[in-house]
Amino acid sequence: MDYSRRRFLTVAGAGIAAFAGCAAPDGDAGLDGDRPFVDLYEAVSPSVVRLRVYDSRGPLGEGSGWLSDDGVLVTNAHVVAGADTVRAQFANGDWTEAEILGSDPYSDLAALSVDPPVDADPLPLLDEQPPVGTRVAAVGAPLGLAGSLTSGVVSGVNRTISSIQNFTISGAVQTDAAVNPGNSGGPLLTLDGDVAGVVTQAGAENVGFAISAALTERVVPELVETGSYEHSYLGVRILPVTPLLAAANDLEAARGVYVSAVPEGSPADGVLQGGSGTETVEGSPQPTGGDVIVALDGTRVETTGQLGTYLALETSPGDTIAVTVRRDGERRTVDVTLGTRPAPR
């Protein structure tokens, strides 16, 4: 969502706030219907910034950010990747230099230190995943247009997405609020002004994604405190259980997470079992012989997204978790001590 160097734009003048709503026959009623978004923008705009990123050769990219605590800005890791200098512009038009406190490519989150204006209050994180259909707004600087607001709803939750840096992020929030290059790092807000997620990318027309408030709440304090964040690591390669894979492995239902391989030396090595063969079902080769994970610590796991979300939000490196699997037609539970996710290569 940040600009590449070739697409870097300089946009002069005041920002644009775009409010969505249905026009009423007499106009005034339409304005009243838009009032929740007007009130939201007026309340949160002092706490949302436009970011410009520079390296030794000049402008590198743009993005957005928001004040999460006194003097702490949250944005995306990919927005500030490779930065030598980061500058933040608040709603009053003033620019200030920001210091990168920490960055985590696996969650695509970064924390920056900044001296905010007195009218910029920290924005609270939502306590739980918003229900599908919740009205939300993305506030930020798409295409370099500082102070923009687009509206929509939460279209889905607990999505598993690939970040711009090609890492898997679990528990993401899906929205149809328009997000564009430059929105990255900005807040996705409920009408109460709570941050439901940190905008990270657009998937397609009317499909955008935000890193969940729950993951943000776990990662950002560690970035502020230590500059990095350690993710739990189970150490398996996995596949979703499709109807064809279920048939090949004599499973009663297409649910659970199939373990296709267990790398040597990983935390699951010698405990969980990877695939050992293949069987063709309806003309499609399917792996066989691997464990099918159906629960973690007694919590049912039916999809790869649920597995990733549980590990991301409920565990830490060094924890020993009970992994329930189906193996050779039987259900059994084994203990795995989680490691730390290796650094990106």
Side-chain angles (χ1 to χ4, degrees):
M1 303 297 290
D2 56 309
Y3 288 131
S4 67
R5 186 188 308 277
R6 294 178 182 177
R7 299 183 61 196
F8 186 85
L9 300 176
T10 300
V11 181
I16 297 174
F19 303 111
C22 298
D26 60 0
D28 290 340
L31 291 176
D32 289 342
D34 289 340
R35 193 70 226 178
F37 290 106
V38 175
D39 292 341
L40 174 67
Y41 181 79
E42 291 176 351
V44 306
S45 60
S47 305
V48 181
V49 302
R50 172 189 183 186
L51 295 175
R52 278 189 172 178
V53 180
Y54 306 81
D55 66 7
S56 60
R57 294 176 293 171
L60 182 62
E62 286 203 8
S64 302
W66 53 279
L67 196 66
S68 71
D69 204 347
D70 188 23
V72 176
L73 285 178
V74 173
T75 188
N76 288 151
H78 77 260
V79 168
V80 297
D84 292 326
T85 303
V86 181
R87 293 188 175 92
Q89 184 185 33
F90 282 89
N92 62 9
D94 290 344
W95 288 91
T96 183
E97 191 163 324
E99 175 189 357
I100 300 174
L101 299 174
S103 181
D104 176 45
Y106 286 132
S107 64
D108 198 22
L109 291 170
L112 288 68
S113 175
V114 72
D115 185 17
V118 294
D119 63 341
D121 296 321
L123 301 179
L125 286 164
L126 195 63
D127 290 336
E128 56 189 14
Q129 283 273 41
V132 172
T134 300
R135 290 201 293 174
V136 290
V139 181
L143 306 177
L145 300 171
S148 295
L149 180 150
T150 56
S151 65
V153 298
V154 171
S155 307
V157 295
N158 290 321
R159 301 304 197 206
T160 299
I161 62 174
S162 293
S163 71
I164 287 178
Q165 294 171 301
N166 206 30
F167 298 117
T168 299
I169 302 174
S170 298
V173 178
Q174 178 187 335
T175 182
D176 67 348
V179 292
N180 290 283
N183 269 122
S184 277
L188 183 69
L189 296 148
T190 68
L191 294 185
D192 292 329
D194 296 327
V195 178
V198 182
V199 175
T200 183
Q201 61 176 285
E205 186 177 358
N206 298 326
V207 179
F209 297 101
I211 303 152
S212 70
L215 185 58
T216 304
E217 188 171 30
R218 281 177 69 95
V219 172
V220 169
E222 284 297 312
L223 296 182
V224 174
E225 184 71 23
T226 69
S228 62
Y229 182 82
E230 293 186 342
H231 292 263
S232 296
Y233 179 58
L234 181 59
V236 292
R237 297 192 183 103
I238 59 175
L239 294 170
V241 177
T242 64
L244 296 186
L245 191 149
N249 288 274
D250 297 322
L251 301 175
E252 295 178 356
R255 294 187 177 91
V257 177
Y258 182 81
V259 179
S260 62
V262 181
E264 184 177 354
S266 77
D269 187 17
V271 184
L272 296 179
Q273 180 175 295
S276 56
T278 60
E279 181 176 328
T280 300
V281 180
E282 298 180 12
S284 175
Q286 299 295 317
T288 59
D291 287 337
V292 177
I293 299 173
V294 295
L296 298 177
D297 287 334
T299 300
R300 182 181 298 178
V301 171
E302 296 188 344
T303 65
T304 56
Q306 289 175 346
L307 183 144
T309 298
Y310 187 89
L311 292 175
L313 300 182
E314 304 296 337
T315 70
S316 299
D319 289 350
T320 298
I321 62 172
V323 183
T324 302
V325 301
R326 290 196 176 277
R327 179 187 299 174
D328 300 328
E330 298 180 353
R331 186 183 177 103
R332 65 181 68 185
T333 299
V334 296
D335 290 338
V336 178
T337 299
L338 300 172
T340 301
R341 193 172 183 178
R345 294 180 179 179

